[in-house]
Amino acid sequence: MHVAAIPAFDDNYIWAIQPYTGADAIIVDPGEAEPVRDWLRGHDVGIMAFFITHHHWDHTNGLIDLLKDHRVPVYGPKGGHIQGVSHPLDHLDRFSVAGDDREYTVFSTPGHTLDHICFYTPGHAFVGDTLFSAGCGRMFEGTPEQFHKSLQCLAELPDSTNVYCAHEYTAANLEFALAAEPENQEIQQYSEQVKALREHGLKTLPSTIGLEKQINPFLRATTVDHFARLRQWKDQF
């Protein structure tokens, strides 16, 4: 399995999943159409399916345009509120995409939005805006109880699981993580690594579940109250 990051907007990543090198791709959260088209042309491949994690425009705006040229399945949240979704999904649904032998499991992860879902296949989790490296999404629609439960669901995945977040927020998130846990040596060390990567224009993703358990205050929050205090503090940080 090969996963490539397609940069979009200022800090989004549209993920392209290929079962093997040269295969058509599954496109995750196509907020923009043109970066996807450029990537497809550069790799001389097509699209086998789309995965949508939630309804926000920067994850969906390119979908309908791309569907004009690629009549393929679109897997996304149930509810009928996202135009183009042909295969609505719920918590713990399992499915496979034609052309890809892997099975994907869906996790409902409300918090950032109520409709947010994540896509998991052994070794890889596509988490949209639920989990960021050293952070999590803003709580636009969910409750602290929902968001904390969603993060704990992801924390139960194997430590070796690659985590594909939808934004390059790692450096800013680590500044907050250092304020929240100033004695955490793992955060201190990782902050230096991330600074070096970003100075050279390199991405910090994917992360792993194991790493996030060490450096992410939100994933490390043991109670709902702790999580809620962190999220409120981060909103004002």
Side-chain angles (χ1 to χ4, degrees):
M1 181 172 173
H2 178 73
V3 183
I6 304 173
F9 304 114
D10 292 330
D11 51 36
N12 282 64
Y13 290 132
I14 299 168
W15 296 103
I17 307 168
Q18 293 175 284
Y20 54 89
T21 302
D24 287 350
I26 299 168
I27 301 298
V28 184
D29 286 351
E32 276 191 295
E34 278 311 305
V36 175
R37 289 197 177 102
D38 290 343
W39 186 88
L40 295 172
R41 284 192 292 264
H43 291 79
D44 193 25
V45 298
I47 298 174
M48 68 170 64
F50 293 96
F51 289 175
I52 305 295
T53 62
H54 64 295
H55 67 270
H56 282 167
W57 67 270
D58 60 323
H59 297 252
T60 61
N61 264 22
L63 177 60
I64 298 303
D65 194 10
L66 289 166
L67 282 172
K68 295 175 183 177
D69 302 321
H70 305 273
R71 297 181 180 275
V72 298
V74 180
Y75 300 85
K78 67 176 183 178
H81 57 295
I82 301 176
Q83 186 180 3
V85 170
S86 59
H87 291 63
L89 300 167
D90 205 349
H91 186 55
L92 298 183
D93 281 348
R94 295 185 177 185
F95 68 95
S96 295
V97 178
D100 184 354
D101 293 336
R102 287 175 175 264
E103 183 179 69
Y104 291 87
T105 300
V106 175
F107 297 119
S108 176
T109 55
H112 177 65
T113 64
L114 291 176
D115 67 344
H116 204 299
I117 60 175
C118 296
F119 296 84
Y120 170 74
T121 191
H124 308 272
F126 299 87
V127 298
D129 288 358
T130 293
L131 178 64
F132 297 132
S133 186
C136 70
R138 284 182 176 269
M139 193 165 57
F140 287 117
E141 297 176 5
T143 65
E145 289 81 5
Q146 288 175 315
F147 214 153
H148 182 256
K149 183 178 179 181
S150 295
L151 292 175
Q152 292 306 302
C153 172
L154 295 177
E156 292 175 1
L157 295 174
D159 284 355
S160 59
T161 303
N162 289 317
V163 177
Y164 301 89
C165 319
H167 291 274
E168 182 58 72
Y169 289 165
T170 312
N173 285 340
L174 284 167
E175 291 182 12
F176 175 77
L178 281 170
E181 299 186 25
E183 304 302 319
N184 187 319
Q185 294 186 357
E186 284 81 9
I187 296 176
Q188 295 171 15
Q189 293 170 3
Y190 192 57
S191 294
E192 294 305 315
Q193 296 177 33
V194 166
K195 286 178 183 177
L197 288 170
R198 298 306 294 154
E199 285 173 359
H200 290 86
L202 300 175
K203 69 181 188 299
T204 64
L205 301 171
S207 182
T208 67
I209 291 295
L211 174 62
E212 294 307 311
K213 286 180 178 178
Q214 294 179 316
I215 57 98
N216 192 323
F218 297 97
L219 206 65
R220 291 163 58 81
T222 56
T223 67
V224 173
D225 286 345
H226 185 194
F227 169 80
R229 290 195 300 272
L230 284 171
R231 188 60 263 177
Q232 185 176 31
W233 181 14
K234 179 66 164 62
D235 289 343
Q236 303 166 351
F237 188 74

